[in-house]
Amino acid sequence: MSDETAALDELARRRGFYFQANSAYGGVAGFYVYGPQGATLKANLEEAWRDRFVRREGHQEIESPDIMPEVVFEASGHLAGFDDMILECPECGASHRADHLVEDGTGIEEAESIPPEEVQEIVADRGLTCPSCGAPLSGQPVEEFNLMFGTNIGPGSSSPGYLRPETAQGMFVEFPRLKEYARGQLPFGVAQIGKAYRNEISPRRSLVRVREFTQAELEHFVDPERDEPPIERVADVELPLYPADEQQAEDGGQVTMTVREAVDRGVIGLPWIAYYLGVAKGWYERIGVDMDRFRYRQHLAGERAHYAADCWDAETEVGGNWIEVTGFATRADYDLRKHAEHSGEEFTVFRPYDEPITVERPTVDPDMSYLGPEFGGAAGDVADALERLAETDPDAFEGETVTVEADGESDVVPVEVTGFAVEEVTENGEHVRPHVIEPSFGVGRIVYTVLAHACREDTVDGETRTYLALPPELAPTTVGVFPLMDKDGLGERAREIAADLRRAGLSVAHDESGAIGRRYRRQDEIGTPFCVTVDYDTLDDDTVTVRERDTTAQVRVAADDLAATLASLRAGDLAVDDL
Ligand code: GAP
């Protein structure tokens, strides 16, 4: 663990941001509690996400169940393909993620994209050993391990279910109804903030790899032939990109270019992805991610999820490691097609033509009094096969006879009994299957990044101070209210002011214990952006001191204006310098 991450975890535990769950029973790896500060910070972060990716984009938010029946994951491909590589130590029995062993033990990057047999060879060739007990791992099999948590729905085991490994499936499965709410019009976006569950082989780095975590996901359903993103809104945003070819080139590295350049030069293949990378960059800046420790990295071909046609990750650096905080994937029509195949429901939208068109449609109307005696029980299948053939190859009906495949047999049918005809029909539109653009944010990893990037140290009044430079909209507490001393009516006035601020909807900490400097430090350490001090001048002119966290600058504000001033400061409509 690096110094930065160790210090962060210590601060998080001491000040109530996050800590390992179930510690009374020794703790279980991969489960975390957000404490009083962390839960509020996380809720504020989710609200900032909702503001940017739901409300401002005009999308809709839903909440779907965490547990879904097995058939959903048969269809989505998670049952067959949502695996990580596992390797067990022959000595101590500890399970390890084989690709992580390779990355940590050899410096090879993105070992996830290497096939299991090759990973097994690398483990042997490099003489890798068990991180838990030091035993050699050479010759141990590398196997696939499915990450989903299984359960039973209701008593007994007849109805297996799974805790969803991504919130996305709830939005895909409900597409037939969700499209109705969008009045059947593409493009439209559906978002969800909720829990996802993965039985990670080796959870690690506190919030970074856990078994239960929150995702904020957006599924943007678009017409692949007609819909274009409003790229001009973000065209000039500069993107720090690490494309796949740069990762594979010997002297490759990060490149910076605008959204417009990335699209025009084909560095980002799909304009929709470029659009969301531009939007998201502004949002990461807003929530305090350090842009010198941030990049967008394209997935290598072997690294992509089973559903993704292309994917870029937003990555942040913490403690010397790059962390994937968000995936921006092109899922094309994969999920809607799979759910249509498995459920038999319609996962398309109707796209009207500008003008109705007349088309020739080949049809058949087989004479069953001939097919019945001739083909017996297979007559119905022969009729279906004739119908399919008429649609796909009408020319086959030009001769005296036509041959169809039914029930594994080749059957010859006289054309005159097929009732083959070509009709003219008017069509008003067609059914199209939308493509899906999916920005998928890991909320816990973003909380972790924001805390790490906000951690600062400086010297105030000759003493070292640690503080969290959190953006005011994220800070768990907006304002600390302190009486200079709890006497001469100062304590009472401070309590009144704190109550007024709470009534105005602000998050307030009231603290009257210890020296005023100590009280400031306590708030600085949890990132409270403003502190209000009630002193003897307050009793004379009803003004208070407002102190800003990062600069420690102080200004006097009339108590009557305080709530409105602090609300404007929190919303970013006002800066302390403006006061
Ligand atoms: N629906 C797409 C999807 O789930 P993903 O890349 O597997 O894509 C999206 O996950 C995000 O969820 C990741 O970028 C990451 O931030 C977060 N995430 C994934 N696995 C996680 C884990 N075990 N612990 C914490 N966060 C995780």
Side-chain angles (χ1 to χ4, degrees):
M1 195 185 278
S2 74
D3 289 350
E4 182 184 19
T5 53
L8 178 61
D9 287 350
E10 191 279 321
L11 173 80
R13 211 172 19 249
R14 186 162 44 81
R15 287 294 181 204
F17 283 97
Y18 59 81
F19 52 90
Q20 199 185 13
N22 305 305
S23 56
Y25 292 96
V28 179
F31 296 95
Y32 273 79
V33 175
Y34 287 91
Q37 304 303 332
T40 314
L41 169 62
K42 178 169 174 278
N44 290 346
L45 189 119
E46 288 167 6
E47 194 45 39
W49 187 86
R50 194 172 271 123
D51 172 59
R52 185 63 196 88
F53 292 94
V54 184
R55 282 195 289 270
R56 289 205 203 180
E57 292 296 309
H59 299 320
Q60 303 292 319
E61 186 177 349
I62 67 161
E63 186 181 311
S64 71
D66 289 10
I67 297 177
M68 302 178 85
E70 184 171 65
V71 62
V72 168
F73 300 108
E74 261 165 29
S76 70
H78 284 86
L79 212 49
F82 195 59
D83 302 323
D84 275 344
M85 286 179 267
I86 190 169
L87 186 153
E88 251 180 53
C89 171
E91 281 301 315
C92 68
S95 299
H96 304 289
R97 244 186 90 163
D99 51 327
H100 287 171
L101 283 178
V102 165
E103 285 168 10
D104 297 345
T106 67
I108 294 174
E109 287 180 3
E110 310 308 333
E112 200 183 349
S113 61
I114 305 173
E117 318 79 65
E118 270 179 53
V119 168
Q120 194 172 319
E121 277 171 30
I122 297 172
V123 170
D125 292 349
R126 301 289 188 101
L128 300 186
T129 54
C130 172
S132 309
C133 73
L137 296 173
S138 168
Q140 282 305 105
V142 171
E143 285 166 352
E144 302 282 12
F145 173 79
N146 193 289
L147 297 184
M148 284 197 297
F149 281 103
T151 185
N152 287 304
I153 301 174
S157 56
S158 59
S159 183
Y162 291 88
L163 278 78
R164 61 184 181 189
E166 55 171 1
T167 68
Q169 290 307 322
M171 294 178 271
F172 297 139
V173 169
E174 306 308 338
F175 178 83
R177 191 172 295 276
L178 295 172
K179 80 169 180 199
E180 302 293 327
Y181 302 140
R183 296 192 304 282
Q185 306 270 317
L186 293 176
F188 70 92
V190 181
Q192 174 154 220
I193 300 177
K195 285 285 177 81
Y197 306 83
R198 297 184 189 176
N199 197 3
E200 294 286 350
I201 296 167
S202 38
R204 57 185 193 168
R205 284 196 256 145
S206 59
L207 298 184
V208 174
R209 188 165 299 282
V210 286
R211 289 175 165 143
E212 176 178 335
F213 55 98
T214 302
Q215 290 187 319
E217 298 201 289
L218 169 65
E219 310 303 329
H220 200 162
F221 299 101
V222 305
D223 183 330
E225 281 160 30
R226 296 203 175 166
D227 294 333
E228 297 283 340
I231 209 95
E232 62 292 343
R233 291 191 204 156
V234 291
D236 297 329
V237 174
E238 299 247 319
L239 302 176
L241 299 177
Y242 194 20
D245 53 3
E246 291 288 334
Q247 293 166 54
Q248 285 161 328
E250 232 166 63
D251 56 350
Q254 206 170 295
V255 289
T256 301
M257 64 186 76
T258 63
V259 169
R260 171 76 67 210
E261 283 168 333
V263 171
D264 288 351
R265 288 165 53 181
V267 176
I268 301 174
L270 195 75
W272 278 108
I273 294 286
Y275 172 71
Y276 277 115
L277 297 191
V279 172
K281 174 150 180 257
W283 184 74
Y284 293 122
E285 281 172 327
R286 164 176 160 181
I287 60 163
V289 172
D290 179 352
M291 286 297 130
D292 293 333
R293 303 165 77 185
F294 175 86
R295 69 183 183 190
Y296 286 121
R297 188 182 68 78
Q298 188 179 24
H299 276 205
L300 302 174
E303 198 188 336
R304 288 199 287 265
H306 59 275
Y307 50 73
D310 188 17
C311 187
W312 287 77
D313 285 342
E315 295 188 332
T316 57
E317 185 273 316
V318 176
N321 292 302
W322 285 101
I323 303 168
E324 173 203 330
V325 293
T326 306
F328 298 82
T330 315
R331 293 179 83 129
D333 68 346
Y334 175 87
D335 301 272
L336 298 188
R337 182 163 42 82
K338 291 286 178 190
H339 288 303
E341 283 165 15
H342 280 71
S343 67
E345 290 280 319
E346 193 66 67
F347 282 72
T348 55
V349 294
F350 185 72
R351 179 167 72 189
Y353 295 135
D354 296 337
E355 299 278 331
I357 56 168
T358 305
V359 291
E360 291 190 335
R361 175 159 315 139
T363 59
V364 287
D365 183 13
D367 179 354
M368 296 310 282
S369 68
Y370 175 87
L371 297 190
E374 188 68 20
F375 299 108
D381 292 333
V382 172
D384 289 345
L386 286 168
E387 194 178 323
R388 282 196 298 276
L389 188 66
E391 276 170 24
T392 53
D393 183 14
D395 293 348
F397 292 79
E398 275 175 5
E400 303 258 306
T401 59
V402 61
T403 305
V404 286
E405 303 291 326
D407 274 356
E409 303 263 326
S410 280
D411 299 313
V412 180
V413 184
V415 168
E416 63 182 6
V417 303
T418 63
F420 178 79
V422 177
E423 291 173 355
E424 286 210 334
V425 289
T426 303
E427 288 187 349
N428 295 311
E430 61 189 323
H431 290 274
V432 291
R433 180 155 296 132
H435 279 205
V436 175
I437 313 302
E438 181 195 64
S440 167
F441 293 69
V443 174
R445 291 186 184 180
I446 300 176
V447 166
Y448 185 76
T449 299
V450 164
L451 284 172
H453 290 193
C455 240
R456 309 256 196 291
E457 243 182 42
D458 64 0
T459 306
V460 174
D461 300 333
E463 270 185 39
T464 305
R465 160 180 91 133
T466 304
Y467 68 103
L468 287 180
L470 293 173
E473 86 170 308
L474 293 195
T477 304
T478 304
V479 55
V481 178
F482 319 140
L484 192 61
M485 285 175 276
D486 191 10
K487 61 180 196 182
D488 302 330
L490 295 179
E492 198 173 24
R493 185 70 189 111
R495 281 189 286 277
E496 279 168 11
I497 287 175
D500 286 348
L501 296 179
R502 285 192 180 118
R503 259 194 300 277
L506 294 164
S507 163
V508 180
H510 176 253
D511 187 355
E512 40 191 46
S513 65
I516 200 89
R518 285 261 140 265
R519 288 184 255 169
Y520 282 142
R521 295 297 172 276
R522 280 201 284 268
Q523 294 304 319
D524 290 343
E525 234 188 359
I526 58 168
T528 304
F530 310 108
C531 287
V532 164
T533 307
V534 174
D535 54 20
Y536 284 99
D537 287 346
T538 313
L539 302 181
D540 285 343
D541 59 8
D542 210 27
T543 62
V544 293
T545 307
V546 175
R547 176 239 196 208
E548 198 270 338
R549 175 196 61 209
D550 299 358
T551 57
T552 71
Q554 304 196 6
V555 285
R556 286 203 82 85
V557 174
D560 280 351
D561 299 336
L562 193 58
T565 304
L566 288 168
S568 299
L569 288 168
R570 183 181 190 275
D573 298 336
L574 189 71
V576 174
D577 289 350
D578 301 334
L579 291 176

